[in-house]
Amino acid sequence: MAVCTGCSLLCEDIEVALDGGKMGKTRNLCRKGLGHFKSIYLDRARPAVDGKEAGIDEAIDKAAGILKNAKKPLIFGWSNSTLDAQKAGLELARELGAVVDDTSSICQGWIVEKVLRKEIPTCTLDDVRNYADVSIFWGSDPSSSHPRHLSRFSYYPRGEKRQRGYEEDRTAITIDVRKSPTADISDEYYRVLPGGDAGLVEAMISVLDGKIPRVEDKKKLISLVTNMKKSRFGVIFPGLGMVYSLKGRKELLDALVEKLNQSSRYSVIPMVGHYNMRGFNQTLLDQTGFINRVSFQDGVESGPEHSVMEAAKTCDAALVIGSDPVSSLPAAVARRLAGMPVVAVDPHRNLTTDVARVVIPSAASGLEAGGSALRMDGVEIKFDGVVESERMTDLEILARIKEGL
Amino acid sequence: MAGDEMRIVTFRDIFQSEAQEMGRYSQEYQDLSAVVRLDQLDMKRLGLKDGQRVAVEGDSGTVVVTARTSDESPHPGVALMPNSPWSNRLVPEETDESRIPEFKNLKGRIVATEEKVKPISELLEELKG
């Protein structure tokens, strides 16, 4: 059995037959996971320096030189590396006095932080499978982003106390701006307007307080909250829809969960995207007391000024590992990254490797290299590679760069 | 930006995610990414046909994509774009104190155009400047 590192569900029941450099029969992979496994043979990065193909040793020397000569290097990415590679990367960051940030900085970070600091209750996905009777997909669409979430854990399966699965024992509620594929199969769909989540949370708290909510369709909201209250084991799965909409009113999530927990039992599991983003946030928290946006320039400090959005303006070189910020950040920020010397460590070619001064191809973890990672609920999952590869792992590359300093 | 202003919300599409896993430079990734999905009421109001090219004009930039009739209606006034280097042309660099970009609450106008969708290699050249 293999583990799929295509998303943070880290499905452990994958069977793949790889025959002579081609994908054969597979079992249990979702569409996204299948693409992830097929990527072993597609669009691989090649070692390069200044746009020309280079030897791996030359690329590593050049990378070490760029980072050593930078006054303020940024190390960004992290979420697609194993726990051991993340630890090795942090040793490098300390040595360089680098600014460190990961993808959580522009997505789930603030909710993951509340969970890791135990400010809001959480549970594992195995608890969800065994006990949950209400799953709320709030601004999340697992049918698209984490395709096996509903079948392995949150809706369809039989569990210890949920022997009748979705037919009788479980209710799925989706709150979203669009009738997403998840909304389509949920028992209840509540439409929210863009930016309207804070108002909706306040209205829900009003209902829970026994007051009349200030919304257009009062009956629909009261019925929704009544169903939420009936739950004996409810779980909220916040997606990017909630993350972005509540980012200015973060306290409302705590207030809602606290209120729900007065009459029921509710937990929160953030719908982390990349397979080991939670692992990085936990590793950094253990080492520094912060989950992201850390500078090692002068001791250890953290703050919004060390976010990738700001670091792109103030740093003078970047090491990007297992991430493609030139694709995923706003164009103006991508342009700033493209304008500085970038070292890209990645299994695949992407926009970031194509702007990079140095490209170091890595073995894809879970596909060609083993290790371990934290699933979206914090459970550690160990895995091996499924094919042999001559490419170095992230861990080896980071150690070699550190030696090269 | 007057009466035709729309909210633009980015989202993840499983077919696009699969194509992305298999390579950012494929035609399939472009076809599934450079898209805006509109409620049928908005398609009608703007006089657009499914598959027609449109310019999405925001405060931070303009991008040409293909208009599609949404199958996730109703969401009048809300335009949906898969999160990609095309949609990121519309996301401003400026943020509030959270330093999280506004990926899901953008404003823009949508107008029919004869211009072509830029391939990802061209977007990249423009980023390199």
Side-chain angles (χ1 to χ4, degrees):
Chain A
M1 293 280 182
V3 173
C4 177
T5 48
C7 82
S8 65
L9 285 183
L10 291 166
C11 294
E12 299 161 271
D13 56 353
I14 307 302
E15 292 174 34
V16 283
L18 297 153
D19 194 15
K22 269 168 70 181
M23 289 283 298
K25 277 197 175 160
T26 70
R27 279 175 75 94
N28 297 333
L29 279 170
C30 69
R31 179 173 288 278
K32 203 170 155 181
L34 181 63
H36 183 60
F37 273 82
K38 280 184 178 169
S39 77
I40 298 176
Y41 304 116
L42 298 166
D43 231 1
R44 299 302 301 253
R46 303 174 73 87
V49 172
D50 293 323
K52 294 192 188 90
E53 200 151 328
I56 192 79
D57 294 334
E58 185 193 350
I60 286 172
D61 282 351
K62 186 79 182 176
I66 287 172
L67 295 169
K68 196 163 79 177
N69 292 327
K71 286 198 184 90
K72 192 179 177 186
L74 164 70
I75 308 185
F76 180 79
W78 306 91
S79 313
N80 284 316
S81 298
T82 62
L83 290 168
D84 283 343
Q86 290 169 349
K87 285 173 193 153
L90 288 176
E91 281 179 30
L92 175 67
R94 283 175 196 274
E95 179 130 348
L96 285 167
V99 171
V100 161
D101 201 14
D102 79 311
T103 46
S104 73
S105 179
I106 55 163
C107 66
Q108 292 274 2
W110 69 265
I111 298 185
V112 172
E113 179 163 15
K114 283 182 189 293
V115 167
L116 296 187
R117 292 193 190 282
K118 300 185 172 49
E119 290 165 7
I120 42 177
T122 193
C123 64
T124 68
L125 288 171
D126 303 290
D127 294 335
V128 172
R129 187 181 54 238
N130 285 325
Y131 312 118
D133 54 2
V134 171
S135 291
I136 303 175
F137 303 104
W138 193 321
S140 62
D141 172 23
S143 298
S144 301
S145 60
H146 302 79
R148 297 182 69 209
H149 194 284
L150 283 85
S151 60
R152 289 187 64 209
F153 304 109
S154 56
Y155 193 46
Y156 295 115
R158 270 73 179 130
E160 198 181 311
K161 300 277 183 202
R162 295 287 167 259
Q163 286 294 318
R164 291 182 293 273
Y166 76 103
E167 298 97 323
E168 292 175 47
D169 270 354
R170 296 187 201 267
T171 301
I173 297 169
T174 296
I175 299 169
D176 209 319
V177 297
R178 64 191 173 102
K179 199 157 190 278
S180 65
T182 304
D184 243 353
I185 52 171
S186 291
D187 300 288
E188 260 191 89
Y189 165 54
Y190 193 91
R191 181 169 169 241
V192 63
L193 293 174
D197 301 63
L200 178 59
V201 174
E202 284 171 331
M204 284 177 165
I205 292 173
S206 289
V207 177
L208 289 164
D209 281 338
K211 295 179 194 155
I212 303 293
R214 286 189 199 158
V215 291
E216 216 169 282
D217 193 342
K218 295 179 173 48
K219 213 172 140 191
K220 188 167 168 64
L221 184 70
I222 291 169
S223 145
L224 173 70
V225 175
T226 307
N227 284 339
M228 286 163 66
K229 257 181 87 169
K230 272 189 216 153
S231 164
R232 299 175 74 173
F233 194 114
V235 187
I236 299 175
F237 297 102
L240 294 178
M242 180 197 255
V243 168
Y244 296 143
S245 193
L246 284 189
K247 66 184 160 63
R249 302 286 309 277
K250 298 171 183 169
E251 72 287 355
L252 283 175
L253 177 61
D254 309 59
L256 176 66
V257 174
E258 197 184 322
K259 189 62 78 178
L260 283 167
N261 272 303
Q262 286 172 6
S263 56
S264 176
R265 178 202 161 124
Y266 265 85
S267 304
V268 175
I269 302 181
M271 296 290 272
V272 169
H274 299 296
Y275 89 83
N276 200 22
M277 189 186 97
R278 180 153 174 175
F280 178 70
N281 296 141
Q282 183 70 61
T283 303
L284 193 63
L285 182 69
D286 293 344
Q287 289 199 14
T288 67
F290 306 103
I291 67 143
N292 60 18
R293 301 175 173 186
V294 163
S295 169
F296 292 110
Q297 288 254 287
D298 189 14
V300 175
E301 49 175 68
S302 175
E305 67 276 24
H306 304 306
S307 66
V308 65
M309 293 291 286
E310 293 299 317
K313 295 179 198 161
T314 59
C315 287
D316 57 350
L319 167 61
V320 177
I321 176 155
S323 182
D324 186 10
V326 176
S327 291
S328 58
L329 290 174
V333 187
R335 202 167 284 132
R336 290 182 190 279
L337 280 176
M340 68 172 79
V342 170
V343 175
V345 177
D346 207 285
H348 293 99
R349 181 188 174 209
N350 56 39
L351 299 201
T352 304
T353 61
D354 277 0
V355 304
R357 186 81 56 88
V358 176
V359 180
I360 306 173
S362 55
S365 44
L367 305 178
E368 297 165 320
S372 61
L374 297 191
R375 199 167 68 180
M376 64 158 67
D377 57 350
V379 170
E380 185 170 343
I381 307 284
K382 291 189 171 59
F383 51 83
D384 296 314
V386 291
V387 288
E388 295 285 323
S389 170
E390 285 173 2
R391 295 176 187 87
M392 285 194 285
T393 62
D394 291 341
L395 178 66
E396 289 163 342
I397 293 166
L398 292 164
R400 283 279 306 274
I401 293 176
K402 188 161 169 278
E403 275 170 31
L405 299 178
Chain B
M1 253 175 249
D4 278 347
E5 186 174 277
M6 301 200 53
R7 293 279 165 173
I8 299 162
V9 175
T10 61
F11 71 104
R12 264 79 178 162
D13 167 71
I14 186 171
F15 297 95
Q16 185 224 16
S17 298
E18 181 194 25
Q20 180 181 320
E21 286 284 350
M22 287 158 53
R24 290 263 192 198
Y25 288 88
S26 70
Q27 185 63 40
E28 193 187 2
Y29 178 67
Q30 175 179 321
D31 292 344
L32 293 167
S33 299
V35 173
V36 63
R37 296 188 193 171
L38 298 168
D39 188 281
Q40 52 187 356
L41 290 174
D42 290 321
M43 289 290 277
K44 213 168 166 184
R45 186 173 60 82
L46 297 168
L48 298 172
K49 289 202 176 79
D50 190 86
Q52 189 171 348
R53 285 192 303 281
V54 291
V56 187
E57 303 172 352
D59 291 337
S60 299
T62 294
V63 66
V64 175
V65 296
T66 304
R68 296 278 178 208
T69 306
S70 173
D71 56 6
E72 298 179 335
S73 298
H75 53 80
V78 176
L80 305 171
M81 290 181 80
N83 178 55
S84 78
W86 285 270
S87 67
N88 278 327
R89 305 273 290 222
L90 303 169
V91 184
E93 181 177 27
E94 299 74 37
T95 65
D96 60 17
E97 66 278 8
S98 72
R99 302 296 194 279
I100 300 174
E102 288 289 352
F103 289 112
K104 282 187 183 276
N105 197 359
L106 303 161
K107 291 172 195 162
R109 228 160 58 93
I110 292 170
V111 288
T113 183
E114 292 297 311
E115 280 183 54
K116 289 210 169 103
V117 174
K118 284 182 183 164
I120 201 161
S121 51
E122 211 169 305
L123 298 185
L124 181 65
E125 286 313 311
E126 289 177 4
L127 290 176
K128 282 184 184 171

